[in-house]
Amino acid sequence: CLENKSLFSHQVMREALETMSKESAEEEKDSTNKRKKGLPLLFMRTVILVLQAYPELKQYVAVTLLPRLVEQEVWTQPRAWDGYLRIVKIMGTETGATSFISLMKLPSQQLKNVLKVHKGLKDTLKSYAAGVISIDPGVKEVLGLS
């Protein structure tokens, strides 16, 4: 479908990503408790392929999709978390500060983990954070801005 752009426009792909990401946040009930469905196994790979095929969706992914995944605690799903980190890295080199929106929403422990893996990111993120009006105190501490 990614190669057939006349049938699957960027709007269609955006809606597909939107639907999959929202449905993954819904709770499913079983006999003992409620739990989140979680992201489909290949969701993050799909996002990467969509970004390659439809560069016009980079802003949507950076501003809407990645922050939504943080709200859904993407770090609790190891494969999805790995994909999230790959996308943030890709987006950071291509869209700059826009991709930092979701990183600023991470809990401080997850942000520390990201900065351990991506050592060169801290200074860039710190520069971005200095211009942001409202920053979580934990994020400020991790970045050395307190």
Side-chain angles (χ1 to χ4, degrees), residues 40-52:
L41 183 61
L42 295 175
F43 178 75
M44 301 309 279
R45 177 73 178 136
T46 303
V47 174
I48 292 169
L49 293 173
V50 166
L51 287 172
Q52 291 170 349

Side-chain angles (χ1 to χ4, degrees), residues 33-133:
N33 60 3
K34 292 180 184 179
R35 57 189 163 94
K36 290 183 182 178
K37 290 181 184 177
L39 293 166
L41 183 61
L42 295 175
F43 178 75
M44 301 309 279
R45 177 73 178 136
T46 303
V47 174
I48 292 169
L49 293 173
V50 166
L51 287 172
Q52 291 170 349
Y54 300 90
E56 59 270 33
L57 291 179
K58 288 178 182 173
Q59 189 73 11
Y60 161 75
V61 170
V63 175
T64 304
L65 187 63
L66 293 178
R68 177 179 301 135
L69 298 179
V70 169
E71 290 170 10
Q72 294 174 2
E73 301 178 351
V74 66
W75 59 88
T76 62
Q77 299 176 65
R79 287 189 178 184
W81 178 240
D82 182 53
Y84 169 88
L85 294 176
R86 289 173 191 262
I87 292 168
V88 166
K89 186 175 180 183
I90 292 166
M91 299 290 289
T93 59
E94 295 177 8
T95 64
T98 312
S99 66
F100 296 151
I101 293 169
S102 70
L103 289 174
M104 300 297 291
K105 294 181 179 234
L106 285 171
S108 57
Q109 187 56 51
Q110 278 67 36
L111 183 57
K112 284 180 189 176
N113 293 341
V114 170
L115 296 177
K116 281 181 192 174
V117 174
H118 303 287
K119 297 185 187 312
L121 188 59
K122 185 174 183 176
D123 290 336
T124 309
L125 189 57
K126 188 175 181 178
S127 296
Y128 169 75
V132 176
I133 296 170

